[in-house]
């Protein structure tokens, strides 16, 4: 996950969000608000 840079780091739930933030060292966000934003 740290080998590449992505536009967004998305997670399925809060625990996943925390784990991904710890693993990637980048802020992760819930997929639901991002999906809502992308479909407007």
């Amino acid at each position: 996950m740290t080998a590449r840079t992505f536009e967004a780091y998305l997670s399925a739930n809060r625990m996943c969000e925390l784990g991904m933030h710890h693993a990637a060292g980048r802020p992760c966000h819930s997929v639901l608000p991002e999906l809502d934003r992308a479909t407007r």
Side-chain angles (χ1 to χ4, degrees):
M1 204 164 133
T2 59
R4 294 176 50 194
T5 302
F6 297 94
E7 203 171 304
Y9 293 85
L10 304 176
S11 64
N13 58 55
R14 183 67 179 142
M15 291 303 292
C16 181
E17 190 174 319
L18 294 172
M20 288 175 60
H21 176 74
H22 180 74
R26 295 179 174 90
C28 298
H29 305 283
S30 172
V31 70
L32 297 177
E34 296 297 331
L35 181 61
D36 184 50
R37 190 178 353 259
T39 57
R40 287 188 177 185

